[in-house]
Amino acid sequence: MARGQRKTIEEKIAAKQEVIDALMTRVESEKRELDELFQEKKRKELEAVSDLIEDAGLQPEEVAEMLQEYMRSKAAVAS
C-alpha cells in the first residue's frame, strides 16, 4: 500500500506554528470578549447602585459619607 509523500520536519514545524498562531489569535479574541463581559457586569452593578441611591432620595456624596463612616466603625470594632 503506497503512502503519500511525507512532510519534511520544516513543513511539520511550519504547520504547528500556524496552529499555535491561530490558537493565540483565538485566545486574544476570547480575552477581549471576557473583558467586555466584565465591563458590562460592572456597568450593570453601578446602574443598580445608582438606581438604589436615586430611589432612596440620596445624593452620591451622602452615600459616600455613610460608607466611609461604616468603614471607620468597622475598622474600630476590628481593632
Side-chain angles (χ1 to χ4, degrees):
M1 183 179 273
R3 287 190 186 176
Q5 188 175 9
R6 293 182 57 117
K7 289 184 179 180
T8 66
I9 191 72
E10 289 81 15
E11 291 171 326
K12 289 179 182 179
I13 290 171
K16 284 295 177 191
Q17 189 61 53
E18 285 180 29
V19 169
I20 290 170
D21 291 345
L23 288 171
M24 293 303 288
T25 299
R26 172 81 189 271
V27 167
E28 290 303 317
S29 173
E30 294 295 331
K31 283 182 179 180
R32 279 192 301 275
E33 271 190 59
L34 182 59
D35 287 342
E36 289 171 6
L37 289 170
F38 279 131
Q39 290 300 320
E40 181 179 347
K41 179 183 178 205
K42 186 176 183 177
R43 183 181 51 77
K44 286 185 178 191
E45 289 171 345
L46 289 172
E47 285 177 2
V49 171
S50 179
D51 289 346
L52 183 62
I53 291 169
E54 187 177 328
D55 291 346
L58 299 170
Q59 295 297 315
E61 298 80 18
E62 293 174 290
V63 175
E65 188 177 317
M66 287 181 218
L67 287 172
Q68 288 173 347
E69 181 58 36
Y70 172 77
M71 290 186 310
R72 281 192 291 270
S73 68
K74 191 170 182 172
V77 170
S79 297

